[in-house]
Amino acid sequence: MKWSSWLIAAALAISPCLITAPANAQARIRDVVDVQGVRDNDLVGYGIVVGLNGTGDTVRNSPFTEDSLTHMLERLGVNVQGEQIKPKNVAAVLVTASLPPFARNGSSIDVNIASIGDATSLEGGTLILTPLKAGDNEIYAVAQGTIIVSGIDVKAQGARETRGSPTTGSVPNGAKVEREVNYDFNRNQQISLALRSPDFTTAARIEDTINAAMGIPLASMRDPGTIELDLRGISESPARLLASIENLPVQVATPARIVIDEKSGTIVLGEDVTISRVAIAQGNIAIKVRETPVASQPNPFARGESIVLPRSEITITQTGSNNIAMLEPNVTLSQLIAGLNALGVSPQEMADIIRSMKAAGAIHADLVIR
């Protein structure tokens, strides 16, 4: 790291102009909790895509595609026994979807398509009627439709360009719900709210907010990740009750956390990251290595060979003065980084500074490195 104490001092001098006062994080209850039992259900199915422009599976590498096509044609009344079918416009795919909670018969859901053979592109293909099953092996939806592919694969003589993934696609509203998940929500006498990021402070604030809005001790915190709602003695239905409390604002307690993404050089700081009094020393060590090889010749008419003798000169110097800077405890990490960033310090150098300060115990926050 090639920055000196004057850089730190300048950073701390200009940083108050770069940082604004943090605001309390306000969110709706519905944005920080999930209602226990109300969730999506994953669906999956095996299907056939037809109508491809010569970019489908090859029979040699994907024999299951030929078998699937043969069985499909036989179910449609076409006798292909003993025939060798080698089309290039058919591909075997896996179809996935999410069944939303409370989905009813006839509702439409989106489906995603992914090739499982050696097809090069699904562009222009049509998914043939495909049943979608859940974990209980029951069929809950049926998918069919024209595939939309976001990727592109362009080939020319001696060149090829691929953007995205042309072997995956989607069918918006491509599946119809055929079976409902039986769940009578209004029969619940107790509802659990699960925090997406468990925290004691946030859970306590949600409990206080709900009880203050309802005027009765309806909510109770079971643990930092769960709020229990006791519905006994409540005249309105559970669905109506949740509709009245899910939009209540609550102040979310954010953890003191620093996330460093070394690949992209991104540094994200939490609101409550603080610094203790610490001294930082910088190296500014310059190492110069100069090679001056010397050729050695044998004497005239002597037996021998010319050789090169290595001559290396290493010089270590240290530039600058006052290489230790003191950070006072009233300086926040966000102010320090904003000032260093304004002076052109690279994200990699900032990451090194943060890691060193964390190892010294000067940063009071969780450090996450990706």
Side-chain angles (χ1 to χ4, degrees), residues 19-351:
I19 300 296
T20 58
N24 293 330
Q26 290 283 341
R28 298 176 300 178
I29 291 180
R30 66 185 302 170
D31 297 326
V32 296
V33 303
D34 292 318
V35 180
Q36 190 171 349
V38 180
R39 63 177 182 85
D40 294 343
N41 291 277
D42 295 328
L43 305 178
V44 65
Y46 171 82
I48 295 292
V49 173
V50 300
L52 303 176
N53 187 18
T55 59
D57 295 338
T58 59
V59 176
R60 179 178 179 181
N61 296 328
S62 305
F64 48 84
T65 303
E66 182 183 8
D67 296 338
S68 301
L69 181 61
T70 299
H71 294 159
M72 184 189 68
L73 292 176
E74 288 179 350
R75 289 198 304 268
L76 295 177
V78 181
N79 186 9
V80 292
Q81 289 293 336
E83 300 290 339
Q84 291 186 352
I85 305 176
K86 297 182 179 181
K88 295 182 180 180
N89 61 347
V90 180
V93 296
L94 282 181
V95 184
T96 58
S98 293
L99 182 66
F102 310 114
R104 300 307 177 193
N105 287 336
S107 301
S108 297
I109 57 177
D110 299 336
V111 296
N112 298 316
I113 316 293
S115 172
I116 59 174
D118 61 348
T120 57
S121 177
L122 299 179
E123 185 177 3
T126 300
L127 177 68
I128 301 302
L129 198 66
T130 302
L132 303 179
K133 298 182 179 181
D136 58 0
N137 206 33
E138 296 289 343
I139 297 175
Y140 284 86
V142 177
Q144 182 171 275
T146 303
I147 300 175
I148 299 176
V149 177
S150 58
I152 186 172
D153 185 12
V154 180
K155 293 186 293 184
Q157 189 173 3
R160 182 173 183 176
E161 184 71 19
T162 302
R163 296 291 178 87
S165 179
T167 56
T168 60
S170 62
V171 182
N173 296 326
K176 297 294 184 182
V177 177
E178 300 292 339
R179 181 193 294 265
E180 300 178 1
V181 178
N182 295 323
Y183 181 43
D184 191 354
F185 183 77
N186 283 333
R187 295 186 61 180
N188 290 325
Q189 295 297 316
Q190 189 176 31
I191 297 177
S192 297
L193 304 180
L195 273 71
R196 296 170 186 171
S197 298
D199 182 83
F200 284 102
T201 303
T202 303
R205 290 173 180 173
I206 293 176
E207 175 187 356
D208 295 339
T209 299
I210 294 176
N211 292 337
M214 300 302 298
I216 56 175
L218 175 68
S220 62
M221 183 178 67
R222 188 177 70 186
D223 52 56
T226 310
I227 305 295
E228 299 285 357
L229 302 180
D230 188 2
L231 306 184
R232 292 172 297 181
I234 302 298
S235 59
E236 56 185 347
S237 66
R240 185 73 179 180
L241 176 66
L242 282 179
S244 62
I245 67 174
E246 66 178 0
N247 291 314
L248 295 175
V250 63
Q251 182 179 344
V252 179
T254 56
R257 182 174 298 166
I258 305 172
V259 180
I260 300 176
D261 190 337
E262 294 187 339
K263 294 181 179 179
S264 62
T266 303
I267 301 176
V268 179
L269 306 176
E271 177 183 355
D272 298 324
V273 177
T274 57
I275 299 177
S276 296
R277 183 181 178 90
V278 63
I280 301 177
Q282 62 86 25
N284 269 6
I285 295 177
I287 302 176
K288 296 182 180 180
V289 179
R290 184 172 59 181
E291 297 286 349
T292 56
V294 177
S296 177
Q297 299 288 346
N299 295 327
F301 305 106
R303 294 181 180 180
E305 297 179 354
S306 300
I307 60 174
V308 178
L309 300 177
R311 291 291 186 270
S312 301
E313 181 181 355
I314 301 177
T315 304
I316 301 178
T317 58
Q318 186 168 359
T319 61
S321 59
N322 299 325
N323 294 309
I324 297 181
M326 186 71 68
L327 294 183
E328 298 298 331
N330 59 345
V331 176
T332 64
L333 183 62
S334 58
Q335 290 175 322
L336 173 62
I337 290 185
L340 294 177
N341 187 56
L343 294 175
V345 177
S346 68
Q348 182 60 48
E349 291 176 329
M350 293 183 190

